[in-house]
């Protein structure tokens, strides 16, 4: 056979196939097939009646006749989304040599929405094969349309993806926002938001930020679900705070109390307080903006002026470094003997 001889189109499993037998993936683009010597006519023949291949998406082919697996659908969607622009399109980057896209990462496309949440391990997200469409996040400037099993979601700025089972996946807050945008059922939205916090995937503030940027918070069913999200976030954070005190041998505080000056104004609530050492722990569960932050700072400064040490912790700090937060609290308790006595305050149940 000389270099002008046509290459017979064969399925991957055929010993005479021009394609790499070691490939673990049976999904390739037309460009990748051409790089292996398979022309357009051969592709059309293989995808015709009785052929061994099938076209999943424009320019993306499944190299076996049976139904695609979940992994094959994911890779097909990503290959379609990062496919180089066709003739006449404005290129978004420098042109690449023919066939070079076979080695490209999915740097400008990532799975998002419900499919991403399934890959992140959300119990309430549906199985991948149950999804008629898979959401894929691309730059806003990409000239792509939703088709087949691929639904295009555009963004002015792409987040940094996570890699799960070899697939680029949007981080949980962004995937949640894209999933919620396609839902209209309060129960489903509430379950997804609860899974995010209960499973330790992210904090409520990160979710709220994405929902706000996507302009989803005004939707009534989203607003209802957000209330449950904040309640779940506080419950999880309080549980970690209880564990911190118990597991690291800290003295028992009084929990969830209000502080007041005798006969004076209300000083604010704290999540844990050690009266003998005048040390308070305050969980930062803010869901608001600058006004709420300013009020929290003002309250903390007032307590510190009275000689009360305020340890400010976030749910993320408790999730990622419980031992470090225990050390901070223990240090504050030990330092109490070297401080001036704090003002007397009244401690009341909150």
């Amino acid at each position: 056979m000389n270099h002008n001889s046509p290459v017979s189109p064969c399925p991957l499993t055929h010993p005479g196939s021009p394609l790499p037998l070691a490939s673990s993936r049976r999904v390739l683009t037309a460009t990748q097939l051409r790089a292996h010597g398979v022309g357009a006519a051969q592709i059309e023949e293989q995808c015709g009646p009785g052929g061994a291949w099938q076209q999943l998406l424009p320019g993306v082919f499944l190299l076996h006749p049976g139904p695609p697996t979940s992994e094959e659908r994911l890779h097909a969607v990503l290959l379609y989304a990062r496919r180089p622009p066709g003739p006449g399109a404005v290129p978004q980057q420098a042109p690449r040599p023919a066939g070079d896209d076979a080695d490209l990462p999915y740097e400008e496309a990532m799975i998002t929405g419900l499919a991403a949440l399934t890959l992140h391990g959300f119990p309430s997200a549906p199985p991948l094969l149950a999804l008629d469409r898979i959401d894929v996040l691309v730059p806003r400037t990409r000239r792509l349309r939703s088709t087949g099993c691929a639904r295009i979601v555009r963004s002015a700025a792409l987040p940094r993806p996570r890699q799960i089972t070899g697939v680029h996946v949007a981080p949980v807050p962004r995937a949640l926002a894209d999933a919620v945008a396609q839902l209209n059922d309060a129960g489903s939205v509430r379950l997804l938001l609860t899974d995010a916090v209960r499973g330790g995937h992210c904090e409520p503030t990160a979710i709220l930020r994405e929902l706000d940027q996507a302009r989803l918070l005004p939707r009534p069913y989203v607003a209802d679900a957000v209330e449950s999200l904040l309640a779940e976030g506080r419950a999880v954070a309080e549980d970690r705070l209880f564990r911190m005190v118990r597991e690291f041998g800290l003295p028992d505080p009084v929990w969830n109390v209000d502080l007041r000056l005798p006969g004076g104004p209300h000083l604010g609530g704290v999540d844990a307080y050690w009266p003998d050492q005048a040390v308070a722990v305050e969980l930062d569960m803010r869901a608001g903006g600058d006004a709420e932050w300013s009020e929290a700072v003002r309250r903390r400064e007032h307590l510190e002026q009275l000689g009360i040490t305020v340890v400010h912790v976030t749910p993320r700090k408790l999730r990622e470094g419980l031992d470090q937060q225990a050390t901070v609290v223990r240090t504050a308790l030990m330092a109490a003997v070297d401080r001036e006595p704090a003002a007397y305050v009244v401690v009341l149940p909150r």
Side-chain angles (χ1 to χ4, degrees):
M1 177 182 294
N2 60 40
H3 67 279
N4 291 321
S5 301
V7 178
S8 175
C10 306
L12 278 177
T13 54
H14 193 284
S17 171
L19 303 177
L21 291 174
S23 173
S24 61
R25 217 174 289 159
R26 297 297 184 261
V27 181
L28 293 177
T29 65
T31 302
Q32 291 170 324
L33 288 168
R34 285 196 301 271
H36 290 289
V38 183
Q42 296 167 318
I43 295 174
E44 184 177 354
E45 179 183 348
Q46 286 290 82
C47 293
W53 300 350
Q54 54 188 303
Q55 180 171 311
L56 287 184
L57 290 164
V60 181
F61 300 91
L62 179 65
L63 306 190
H64 65 73
T69 64
S70 297
E71 181 186 11
E72 288 167 343
R73 292 179 80 218
L74 291 170
H75 285 292
V77 168
L78 287 169
L79 285 170
Y80 170 71
R82 64 91 161 155
R83 201 160 49 92
V90 179
Q92 301 301 318
Q93 52 189 348
R96 300 181 185 273
D100 190 47
D101 68 330
D103 298 320
L104 287 180
Y106 306 121
E107 73 273 11
E108 286 197 343
M110 64 190 76
I111 302 298
T112 189
L114 286 174
L117 298 180
T118 299
L119 291 168
H120 280 292
F122 276 48
S124 60
L128 291 174
L129 287 177
L131 295 173
D132 293 330
R133 285 195 161 189
I134 295 173
D135 294 331
V136 57
L137 188 62
V138 301
R140 183 170 292 171
T141 53
R142 290 298 308 278
R143 295 183 178 181
L144 283 170
R145 62 181 179 86
S146 297
T147 184
C149 63
R151 179 162 47 210
I152 301 300
V153 180
R154 292 179 172 83
S155 177
L158 295 187
R160 181 182 295 276
R162 286 190 56 192
Q163 186 161 318
I164 303 176
T165 65
V167 175
H168 278 193
V169 181
V172 166
R174 177 61 202 243
L176 269 173
D178 290 332
V180 169
Q182 302 294 332
L183 298 172
N184 54 16
D185 174 60
S188 298
V189 172
R190 187 180 300 110
L191 281 174
L192 291 174
L193 299 187
T194 300
D195 281 351
V197 176
R198 190 174 293 167
H201 296 283
C202 60
E203 306 305 335
T205 50
I207 299 171
L208 290 174
R209 186 164 52 248
E210 286 289 349
L211 293 175
D212 183 47
Q213 290 178 355
R215 300 180 181 178
L216 295 170
L217 290 178
R219 299 185 184 185
Y221 64 90
V222 176
D224 292 342
V226 163
E227 292 184 11
S228 298
L229 167 71
L230 295 176
E232 181 69 25
R234 171 162 281 282
V236 170
E238 287 178 343
D239 180 65
R240 290 182 181 135
L241 192 58
F242 297 153
R243 282 175 42 213
M244 181 190 77
V245 170
R246 182 178 65 253
E247 292 178 8
F248 292 91
L250 297 175
D252 288 330
V254 288
W255 297 101
N256 294 319
V257 294
D258 278 325
L259 303 181
R260 292 179 181 271
L261 287 173
H266 175 240
L267 299 173
V270 295
D271 295 279
Y273 186 61
W274 288 263
D276 293 341
Q277 294 86 2
V279 172
V281 168
E282 184 178 36
L283 282 171
D284 180 5
M285 303 298 300
R286 288 176 299 111
D290 293 340
E292 188 176 352
W293 170 250
S294 298
E295 173 60 23
V297 171
R298 185 202 62 77
R299 186 172 64 250
R300 191 175 308 118
E301 289 177 345
H302 191 186
L303 290 174
E304 290 174 347
Q305 288 170 2
L306 296 172
I308 297 172
T309 299
V310 180
V311 178
H312 174 256
V313 298
T314 64
R316 181 175 180 177
K317 289 179 180 178
L318 290 173
R319 175 166 58 93
E320 297 180 354
L322 203 62
D323 55 339
Q324 296 175 359
Q325 299 310 302
T327 299
V328 171
V329 173
R330 181 178 286 107
T331 300
L333 294 172
M334 294 173 61
V337 297
D338 298 323
R339 297 196 308 264
E340 293 292 327
Y344 178 77
V345 296
V346 179
V347 181
L348 300 172
R350 184 162 61 172

